[in-house]
Amino acid sequence: MSMLTPPGMGGKKYRITGDRYPRMRRPRHRRRIALTLVATACALGLAGWGTLQLIDVFGGHGSTARASQGTKHCRDKDDAAQARTAAQKMPAPGTLTVNVLNATPRSGLAKHTADELQKRGFKIGKVGNAPADYDKKVKGAGILLGPAAADGPLKVLATQLAGAQQKTDGRKGAELDLIIGDTFKALAPQASAAKSLSLLTHPSPAPADAAKC
């Protein structure tokens, strides 16, 4: 028995049987490498995006955006100026002559409405029943009729009757017709009508210019 044989084994020889052997596995670094590559790509992408933003700002695109805003500001100024010019052309109620015509079966509406309009500064022309073309055929609150070039006068008269339809015809005179319709109850409250008229003839001034146009 050899001196290297452990005590108690009786000098017998043993051998390893079987067809499986322990395998050495490689360290699992692939996942870490993949995550590192993804993080690096994201960092490079963010750095590139930041560089493009700096180029955009210092390269003049920022000034282009400001110029665009300035152009819009100028357009707003022009629109406000046009509105003020149009308001200056609006006639005063005292320069308008209104015919008040009743297209409903209810009596007394034309006279009462004409008296109220006169108190509000309008001149009154004819007062009576509506012509056959409109008699009992106006379904809304009323119709405002005027000559083809009466856009301003009709707008002024419309401040007194909310929901009235505005129309023009081929008349030669400058008089306006207020034809009372089926759903008419009364003119707009005087305070409300006065406010609407004020906004129409005196629009809010434009804010102070922040940049030259």
Side-chain angles (χ1 to χ4, degrees), residues 116-138:
E116 184 63 28
L117 279 177
Q118 190 171 27
K119 291 178 183 178
R120 299 182 184 188
F122 291 86
K123 293 182 179 179
I124 302 301
K126 299 176 183 178
V127 178
N129 295 326
D133 291 344
Y134 294 98
D135 190 29
K136 300 180 180 62
K137 297 177 183 178
V138 180

Side-chain angles (χ1 to χ4, degrees), residues 78-88 200 203:
D78 292 341
D79 292 342
Q82 291 176 3
R84 289 194 298 272
T85 301
Q88 293 173 358
L200 182 65

Side-chain angles (χ1 to χ4, degrees), residues 31-53:
R31 182 177 298 176
R32 295 181 181 177
I33 294 173
L35 292 176
T36 303
L37 290 175
V38 172
T40 303
C42 291
L44 290 175
L46 290 174
W49 181 80
T51 302
L52 289 177
Q53 292 299 312

